[in-house]
Amino acid sequence: MSMRWMDERQRRNSTVGFSLSADILLLSSSNPNSLCYVETAELDGETNLKFKMGLRVTDEMLQEERQLAEFNALIECEEPNNRLDKFLGVMRWNQEQYPLELDNMLLRGCKVRNTEECHGLVIFAGSADTKIMRNGGKTRFKRTKIDELMNYMVYTIFALLILVAAGLAIGHTYWYEEIGSKAWYLYDGKDQGASYRGFLSFWGYIIVLNTMVPISLYVSVEVIRLGQSKFINWDLQMYFAEKDTPAKARTTTLNEQLGQIEYIFSDKTGTLTQNIMAFKKCTISGRSYGDPTTAEGVSLDRGRPVDWNWNRYADKKFQFMDNYLVAHVRSKKDRDAMEFFKLLSLCHTVMVENKDGELIYQAASPDEGALVTAARNFGFVFLSRTQDTITIREMDQETTYEMLALLDFNSDRKRMSIILKFPDGRIRLYCKGADTVIYERLAANSRHKETTQTALDVFANETLRTLCLCYKDISAEEYEAWSRKHKDAQLTLTNRDAALDQVYEQIENNLMLIGATAIEDKLQDGVPETIAKLAKADIKIWVLTGDKKETAENIGYSCSLLTDDMQIHYGEDVNEKLSSRQANRRNEPQTVHQRKKKPAEPFFTQPGKNALIITGGWLNEILYEKKKKRRRLRLRRLGRRSPPSSPQDGQPMNDLEKEMRQIDFVDMACECEAVICCRVTPKQKANVVSLVKKYKKAVTLSIGDGANDVNMIKTADIGVGISGQEGMQAVMSSDYAFAQFRYLQRLLLVHGRWSYIRMCKFLRYFFFKNFAFTLVHFWYSFFSGYSSQVAYEDWFITLYNLCYSSLPVLLVGLLDQDVNDRLSLKFPKLYLPGQQGTLFNYKNFFISLFHGIFVSLIIFFIPYGAFLQTMGQDGEAPSDYQSFAVVTASSLIFTVNLQISLDTSYWTFVNCFAVLGSIAIYFGIMFDIHSAGIHVIFPSVFTFTGAASNALRQPYLWLTIILTVGISLLPVICIQFLHKTIWPSVGDKVQRNRKKYEMELEEEEKKKPSAFQRGRRSRRSAYAFSHSRGYADLISSGRSIRRRPTARGGPQDSIREVPH
């Protein structure tokens, strides 16, 4: 796009920072050489500051408003896309071309820090083109599986209502032709045919039987959900006191879905971890440090943190338990220990800012920041740097070293080095890196290899991120020879990185080992225990993170998601297996695809657990999501490109093949115990979630804490936001929110399970009581000429769902629990019925239907048989319609209220009051509306005058009610007894031994909780693998070092280092 000066000029508080609302090309800033620090937590979840740089030409030429106003350039760049890690473009200005990269871009969602003023050119704006918005998803209306099932059941009931009404209408037509029209005493004075009377009867029965369609069900369900949401909000065990953050149910419509989760998709940084790196342990000259000790070296079970008051530069937040190492360093007797911390203070790419006498470090990686901070506390303080010098304070002495070369880290080298010239003229190389690459480059006479290796194994087993430190003394002649090769490699135009790596290899050899560091990426409290407990509940956890593969793998081990007995498969293995399956499918005869789909063969045939670790790049490759591949498919659909007759370099031949590839990937991933997707964009996170939802029909939950997790949270059936260090975007987009990952187990295994059980029990009972109530009219119609006459009194029909049967079932839906919260957490297997959907489905619905039919038969026909040829105590026959209505209604009220009593697992005073109160309210209202006084006031409304008192004074009718209720409940009691004794569920077994298990829990709480045991396998924990590329290019160029003059003029006034 071509544009004259369109600027987004920001002047804000430099400490607080400001967020950007567009993708902007950085032109210049108030910092030296247009350096701009940004926080990208909303994009990738990382809270450490990163730097962006303007082009040199724009920095020199666009500093004043007049220059900005005259700026006129043509920008050619890639189309809008969702790649957060890539930008390609060219700026054409003054007959010159300048390449544009991601380092020159300030993306929407970034927060600018430590920059008073910056000028930029808007490249992409609006809600459609910016990269973060391209990663956004549509807001989806979420509904539970029970909601969908309930809607289908209501449709079924409505269809059943129409069929029953139609059948009764046909019955009335035939009855009128055969009987009604011939009985003179039934003549109503209306000249209407049998068919027309049948038509009227149909609509009459639609009205009479309308209580089959549970209209009040939806209101009751929402009341129960509201109450369950309040219980989540009020749960003090999900309250995080440190930040005064309670759990929050931000929706009231998804509670029971929490009891059906099968897959959890979790972010890593800030969700599983605290995003805080801490220097925990180290080994120097074969001796390990970091465990609690006194200053004399005596080991302690529980020590006190080191007092740093002796060091005015110390970071008071830094905690270290080994007092002996501090005393050892301060004594200056151990040269290796001094060299160890000197290396940490010199070999890095950290930038430092002195603000009001306080040193503020800006590191490209939080790991590196933790190491420099550790050196600072031990008395080796990094003070400042220029392009070719670095100054530190060694205990009480300030020393400046000349920096001859900085060999920066990259993911292939897995190490970084710095070559320094000491004040006394010596030249020394310091190197730090992964043990796998350092040990290959150690000198034959290097000491402490074995003891350091043992310490590394111990650190790795504790899932600490390790790093080896070493040095090498270089002669002046050797350095001069190497320096010439280095400069030649820097000037190479093709394969410069490879040439530099080759030159680095020539100097990074024959190293002398000093020791190793161990850094802890702090997990949130309770994460391993939570993951282990959710795994026992058969919930699979996938980690979707934008972090590096090695970092994600380390965290997978530390949080017990990955274990030593798992076989790990990476992207290359996955792609090979999927390609093989696809090739076999292509080679199969065409008729095979036309046959009934056979179940797919498993990908992993060998016994044992499997885990999958895959990067975003491989994910695109596997799912055919690369841009060129998408374009080919689109052109084929438009008919502009014919499908290939044979596969070309792994391309899908059609949409069906792409879909089959996705199904294969999901099947393979679901065979694994754990899946970790790293280096994935927000859109890829959402795509993975949607694939599992689409092909597994599973209930999914996504949990994250940053803006880069919003799309994933919206896509999943349940979205959970953690209020962490990355803002509130995830919380604002979530359905549930709390402060710590460990609360997830309580949300699912307690609140989710209870909500599901309560809702299922409520629905089963609600359908039953409505069928039992309504179908009495159906049986009565066979004795009333199918005339749409009701079997009960009108006021009973009106108040049945409102007063007589609503409160007990509502309280069951709100308060019932089969076992308490502690036992729910102790036995995660109790969660399985929710995943399997066994407590409420069409089978349960038809059981409730037939149960209601059975009870309605009993309630109608036993009183009907009892009323035949019956004489009361007073010599009068009580077999009138009104007495019959009173007896059936009373039997129904007793039956449904005692039935909910049998279904109640958790009794409280409120439940007892509700059941007894409902029966009492029924009799109280019935005697009132059957009284003579109210009949006198409203004679046409209350017509059952004296019916209740007349019928219920007959002992024979009370015996009829008792018999009816007993026969109605007896089969239920027998079935429940058989189920709990012969076929008990896990819940029944826990209930039976509840007191025993509660005593065990009390004993466990009294005992001291054992520390979490890490894995025992010796594996490399790779700090260096996860360490991101540093600021070496920036430092070497000198662009961040020189101060900009106070009065900024044209390009001739800019101070720059001339490149050698």
Side-chain angles (χ1 to χ4, degrees):
M1 60 182 176
S2 177
M3 61 176 68
R4 290 189 64 82
W5 168 238
M6 292 179 60
D7 70 334
E8 178 162 312
R9 183 168 183 171
Q10 308 277 4
R11 288 185 175 91
R12 307 284 176 87
N13 186 297
S14 62
T15 303
V16 176
F18 55 89
S19 296
L20 300 171
S21 55
D23 290 350
I24 299 171
L25 172 64
L26 178 62
L27 299 176
S28 60
S29 76
S30 55
N31 286 339
N33 298 279
S34 293
L35 189 71
C36 184
Y37 291 100
V38 294
E39 182 183 288
T40 59
E42 294 185 12
L43 300 180
D44 55 19
E46 298 179 7
T47 54
N48 55 293
L49 294 187
K50 299 178 175 64
F51 69 89
K52 301 291 181 178
M53 293 183 293
L55 294 172
R56 177 173 296 191
V57 63
T58 58
D59 172 53
E60 293 175 346
M61 304 291 290
L62 301 176
Q63 291 297 336
E64 296 183 347
E65 291 188 8
R66 175 184 55 80
Q67 296 171 322
L68 292 166
E70 295 173 356
F71 177 60
N72 185 11
L74 174 69
I75 306 295
E76 293 179 359
C77 63
E78 61 189 12
E79 294 179 357
N81 60 68
N82 65 344
R83 292 290 301 273
L84 294 172
D85 59 345
K86 188 177 181 182
F87 179 84
L88 294 176
V90 175
M91 183 178 76
R92 304 182 191 276
W93 188 33
N94 296 337
Q95 289 79 47
E96 295 289 339
Q97 296 186 21
Y98 305 94
L100 302 177
E101 298 177 350
L102 188 65
D103 286 343
N104 310 126
M105 293 294 296
L106 303 175
L107 300 183
R108 177 173 179 170
C110 289
K111 186 170 286 187
V112 177
R113 298 279 194 184
N114 303 334
T115 305
E116 294 180 0
E117 180 180 317
C118 63
H119 307 92
L121 180 69
V122 174
I123 303 297
F124 299 130
S127 59
D129 294 342
T130 56
K131 288 182 179 286
I132 190 173
M133 298 307 293
R134 285 261 168 171
N135 275 284
K138 297 179 181 177
T139 300
R140 297 169 176 85
F141 175 70
K142 297 183 179 182
R143 58 196 310 181
T144 66
K145 277 190 171 182
I146 284 183
D147 262 339
E148 296 174 2
L149 202 57
M150 193 167 64
N151 290 340
Y152 284 122
M153 288 176 180
V154 170
Y155 300 150
T156 303
I157 293 171
F158 191 72
L160 188 64
L161 170 64
I162 292 175
L163 289 175
V164 170
L168 294 175
I170 293 170
H172 181 72
T173 301
Y174 282 104
W175 176 87
Y176 187 78
E177 285 182 349
E178 299 295 327
I179 301 174
S181 60
K182 299 174 183 178
W184 60 267
Y185 55 85
L186 294 177
Y187 180 67
D188 56 3
K190 297 178 181 178
D191 188 16
Q192 297 171 338
S195 299
Y196 182 70
R197 287 176 181 269
F199 175 74
L200 293 179
S201 178
F202 170 79
W203 292 109
Y205 274 112
I206 290 290
I207 295 171
V208 169
L209 301 176
N210 77 86
T211 49
M212 280 178 63
V213 182
I215 303 301
S216 61
L217 173 67
Y218 290 94
V219 178
S220 303
V221 164
E222 292 306 316
V223 170
I224 290 172
R225 285 173 171 168
L226 177 63
Q228 291 167 346
S229 299
K230 293 297 182 183
F231 292 148
I232 293 173
N233 295 346
W234 296 336
D235 191 345
L236 291 178
Q237 295 190 51
M238 295 172 67
Y239 170 73
F240 191 53
E242 286 184 24
K243 294 186 178 180
D244 189 25
T245 306
K248 177 71 174 176
R250 294 174 47 81
T251 180
T252 61
T253 59
L254 302 173
N255 297 322
E256 65 272 12
Q257 191 99 311
L258 290 169
Q260 297 183 280
I261 301 300
E262 297 173 67
Y263 290 87
I264 292 176
F265 300 91
S266 173
D267 180 39
K268 182 192 75 69
T269 306
T271 303
L272 299 178
T273 67
Q274 300 180 32
N275 203 16
I276 299 172
M277 303 295 175
F279 180 87
K280 280 293 180 183
K281 295 184 178 183
C282 64
T283 175
I284 304 173
S285 300
R287 174 166 180 170
S288 295
Y289 301 93
D291 293 325
T293 60
T294 64
E296 293 75 27
V298 179
S299 296
L300 301 172
D301 290 332
R302 291 184 180 180
R304 288 190 299 178
V306 174
D307 183 1
W308 302 108
N309 288 330
W310 60 273
N311 184 354
R312 66 187 180 94
Y313 289 100
D315 182 352
K316 297 300 188 287
K317 297 178 183 177
F318 178 78
Q319 286 196 341
F320 196 71
M321 306 302 293
D322 196 334
N323 288 269
Y324 176 71
L325 178 60
V326 178
H328 199 49
V329 172
R330 291 184 67 185
S331 69
K332 303 180 183 180
K333 294 179 181 178
D334 189 337
R335 292 185 58 190
D336 287 340
M338 301 283 286
E339 201 71 14
F340 181 90
F341 288 105
K342 182 191 291 186
L343 186 153
L344 291 181
S345 66
L346 291 169
C347 185
H348 56 77
T349 58
V350 172
M351 316 284 281
V352 63
E353 180 183 359
N354 196 322
K355 195 167 188 178
D356 300 328
E358 182 182 355
L359 296 177
I360 299 174
Y361 292 152
Q362 305 290 356
S365 162
D367 307 64
E368 190 156 68
L371 292 176
V372 177
T373 300
R376 167 183 176 176
N377 277 57
F378 277 90
F380 292 80
V381 186
F382 167 52
L383 296 176
S384 65
R385 74 187 322 148
T386 66
Q387 181 184 359
D388 49 14
T389 65
I390 182 167
T391 302
I392 66 171
R393 186 180 186 87
E394 302 176 33
M395 292 303 182
D396 299 324
Q397 183 179 354
E398 190 171 309
T399 309
T400 299
Y401 296 86
E402 182 181 352
M403 187 174 68
L404 301 179
L406 185 59
L407 288 54
D408 199 10
F409 170 91
N410 64 43
S411 56
D412 294 324
R413 284 168 37 76
K414 303 181 180 68
R415 63 191 182 278
M416 75 158 292
S417 301
I418 187 171
I419 301 177
L420 300 170
K421 188 172 185 180
F422 282 45
D424 60 7
R426 287 182 297 135
I427 298 177
R428 176 169 286 185
L429 177 144
Y430 285 128
C431 180
K432 65 181 182 184
D435 49 349
T436 51
V437 295
I438 295 297
Y439 266 70
E440 295 172 357
R441 291 161 177 80
L442 291 179
N445 61 340
S446 180
R447 298 181 302 159
H448 312 300
K449 290 182 185 178
E450 291 76 14
T451 51
T452 303
Q453 183 62 60
T454 303
L456 285 169
D457 291 340
V458 172
F459 297 157
N461 286 331
E462 296 174 1
T463 63
L464 299 174
R465 300 161 69 144
T466 58
L467 185 70
C468 286
L469 309 184
C470 51
Y471 73 95
K472 174 185 178 181
D473 287 319
I474 304 172
S475 65
E477 295 78 13
E478 183 182 358
Y479 171 73
E480 288 297 331
W482 178 86
S483 180
R484 286 191 293 271
K485 296 177 183 178
H486 185 224
K487 289 179 181 178
D488 291 340
Q490 286 181 315
L491 297 174
T492 303
L493 298 178
T494 57
N495 297 325
R496 180 181 299 173
D497 290 340
L500 285 171
D501 286 347
Q502 189 175 0
V503 173
Y504 293 164
E505 287 282 352
Q506 296 175 13
I507 197 72
E508 292 174 327
N509 54 33
N510 295 321
L511 305 174
M512 304 299 293
L513 183 65
I514 304 175
T517 61
I519 290 179
E520 180 185 28
D521 186 359
K522 289 187 177 179
L523 288 175
Q524 289 188 13
D525 294 338
V527 168
E529 294 84 352
T530 299
I531 289 177
K533 199 152 284 185
L534 294 175
K536 289 179 182 177
D538 206 20
I539 299 174
K540 293 188 176 180
I541 300 178
W542 295 20
V543 175
L544 310 179
T545 176
D547 216 331
K548 301 160 194 68
K549 181 175 71 174
E550 292 78 11
T551 310
E553 185 175 348
N554 277 328
I555 294 300
Y557 277 104
S558 62
C559 68
S560 299
L561 185 64
L562 301 176
T563 56
D564 296 333
D565 59 347
M566 286 184 181
Q567 177 66 37
I568 298 178
H569 305 272
Y570 297 97
E572 309 90 277
D573 309 328
V574 174
N575 195 36
E576 184 179 343
K577 287 180 182 292
L578 294 178
S579 298
S580 175
R581 176 69 59 91
Q582 186 180 59
N584 293 337
R585 192 182 294 119
R586 284 170 174 166
N587 295 331
E588 288 176 356
Q590 198 66 27
T591 54
V592 174
H593 295 295
Q594 298 168 2
R595 295 176 191 166
K596 187 177 180 181
K597 188 177 179 182
K598 297 182 294 185
E601 297 179 2
F603 285 91
F604 307 111
T605 55
Q606 296 179 352
K609 297 179 180 180
N610 295 282
L612 194 67
I613 299 179
I614 190 167
T615 62
W618 275 111
L619 200 60
N620 279 341
E621 183 76 25
I622 289 167
L623 301 179
Y624 297 136
E625 292 295 339
K626 286 194 172 181
K627 190 175 179 182
K628 290 181 180 178
K629 297 178 182 179
R630 290 200 304 268
R631 178 172 173 78
R632 287 188 186 123
L633 286 174
R634 190 166 61 248
L635 290 176
R636 283 175 208 155
R637 285 196 290 268
L638 295 173
R640 299 178 188 173
R641 185 186 182 103
S642 59
S645 56
S646 62
Q648 302 170 359
D649 59 12
Q651 300 301 314
M653 297 178 68
N654 49 44
D655 285 338
L656 176 61
E657 191 166 276
K658 179 179 179 181
E659 183 178 348
M660 292 304 298
R661 176 84 158 198
Q662 292 176 346
I663 293 173
D664 287 342
F665 170 71
V666 173
D667 288 342
M668 177 188 286
C670 292
E671 288 180 29
C672 298
E673 300 295 320
V675 177
I676 297 177
C677 298
C678 43
R679 280 300 184 202
V680 288
T681 65
K683 192 160 190 174
Q684 284 178 316
K685 291 183 179 184
N687 287 343
V688 171
V689 176
S690 61
L691 284 176
V692 175
K693 285 178 62 179
K694 180 179 179 182
Y695 296 122
K696 287 299 177 183
K697 307 298 180 186
V699 182
T700 58
L701 179 147
S702 291
I703 179 168
D705 69 322
N708 58 325
D709 303 316
V710 167
N711 202 355
M712 173 177 74
I713 287 172
K714 288 182 177 179
T715 303
D717 295 299
I718 302 284
V720 177
I722 290 185
S723 50
Q725 299 185 27
E726 299 179 25
M728 296 295 289
Q729 289 86 347
V731 170
M732 297 303 291
S733 302
S734 66
D735 305 306
Y736 300 89
F738 42 72
Q740 293 279 288
F741 181 85
R742 68 177 183 271
Y743 298 148
L744 184 61
Q745 63 174 321
R746 187 168 180 84
L747 182 70
L748 300 187
L749 302 184
V750 178
H751 291 287
R753 199 180 70 84
W754 280 351
S755 296
Y756 175 73
I757 291 173
R758 290 164 179 169
M759 187 60 69
C760 292
K761 194 175 285 190
F762 167 80
L763 292 173
R764 292 199 307 264
Y765 176 79
F766 200 95
F767 285 129
F768 153 73
K769 77 181 183 70
N770 273 21
F771 289 137
F773 165 65
T774 306
L775 291 177
V776 172
H777 298 303
F778 176 77
W779 307 122
Y780 181 65
S781 66
F782 290 99
F783 301 90
S784 63
Y786 311 99
S787 58
S788 306
Q789 185 177 357
V790 295
Y792 309 112
E793 183 214 0
D794 293 342
W795 281 100
F796 176 79
I797 296 173
T798 303
L799 297 174
Y800 174 74
N801 275 324
L802 186 65
C803 298
Y804 303 155
S805 63
S806 60
L807 191 56
V809 69
L810 271 177
L811 289 175
V812 166
L814 285 170
L815 303 176
D816 199 52
Q817 48 183 267
D818 53 348
V819 297
N820 61 33
D821 55 343
R822 297 163 68 198
L823 292 178
S824 295
L825 293 171
K826 181 178 175 65
F827 298 99
K829 289 293 182 185
L830 292 170
Y831 192 78
L832 296 182
Q835 294 174 328
Q836 299 160 357
T838 56
L839 299 186
F840 186 70
N841 47 40
Y842 260 103
K843 176 185 174 183
N844 299 117
F845 170 73
F846 283 112
I847 289 174
S848 296
L849 172 60
F850 289 120
H851 187 197
I853 292 172
F854 169 76
V855 170
S856 65
L857 272 168
I858 300 299
I859 285 175
F860 178 81
F861 282 103
I862 288 183
Y864 172 76
F867 270 60
L868 287 176
Q869 301 177 354
T870 301
M871 186 68 66
Q873 282 184 329
D874 54 3
E876 296 180 2
S879 54
D880 60 287
Y881 161 69
Q882 292 186 343
S883 298
F884 178 78
V886 169
V887 172
T888 54
S890 301
S891 301
L892 177 67
I893 293 301
F894 276 113
T895 300
V896 296
N897 279 286
L898 291 178
Q899 177 65 51
I900 196 64
S901 302
L902 291 175
D903 290 340
T904 301
S905 302
Y906 182 67
W907 280 96
T908 64
F909 167 77
V910 182
N911 294 83
C912 296
F913 176 80
V915 172
L916 298 176
S918 295
I919 297 173
I921 288 171
Y922 162 70
F923 282 106
I925 292 177
M926 183 177 65
F927 279 110
D928 283 340
I929 62 180
H930 290 189
S931 65
I934 199 167
H935 174 72
V936 171
I937 301 173
F938 305 103
S940 61
V941 179
F942 300 98
T943 57
F944 275 49
T945 309
S949 56
N950 179 58
L952 296 180
R953 71 166 179 257
Q954 305 285 349
Y956 177 78
L957 296 187
W958 277 107
L959 290 174
T960 302
I961 293 172
I962 293 171
L963 179 64
T964 303
V965 174
I967 294 177
S968 298
L969 296 178
L970 185 62
V972 178
I973 295 172
C974 293
I975 290 171
Q976 287 188 358
F977 174 77
L978 289 174
H979 269 290
K980 292 188 176 182
T981 54
I982 301 176
W983 309 291
S985 64
V986 177
D988 295 332
K989 293 176 182 177
V990 173
Q991 279 182 313
R992 188 183 305 161
N993 302 301
R994 183 178 67 249
K995 290 186 178 179
K996 170 189 169 186
Y997 292 136
E998 287 177 348
M999 289 177 63
E1000 289 178 359
L1001 283 172
E1002 289 177 2
E1003 291 176 2
E1004 288 175 7
E1005 288 179 358
K1006 290 177 182 177
K1007 294 178 182 178
K1008 181 181 178 181
S1010 58
F1012 172 66
Q1013 296 295 318
R1014 308 275 185 179
R1016 293 198 175 123
R1017 190 182 72 169
S1018 173
R1019 66 178 180 80
R1020 301 287 187 264
S1021 181
Y1023 158 83
F1025 293 135
S1026 61
H1027 172 60
S1028 61
R1029 186 176 178 87
Y1031 297 153
D1033 294 339
L1034 185 64
I1035 294 166
S1036 300
S1037 68
R1039 299 191 61 192
S1040 66
I1041 310 303
R1042 304 296 184 184
R1043 291 185 178 276
R1044 186 187 303 284
T1046 306
R1048 287 183 283 162
Q1052 67 276 12
D1053 295 328
S1054 297
I1055 300 176
R1056 274 193 192 279
E1057 288 293 326
V1058 180
H1060 298 289

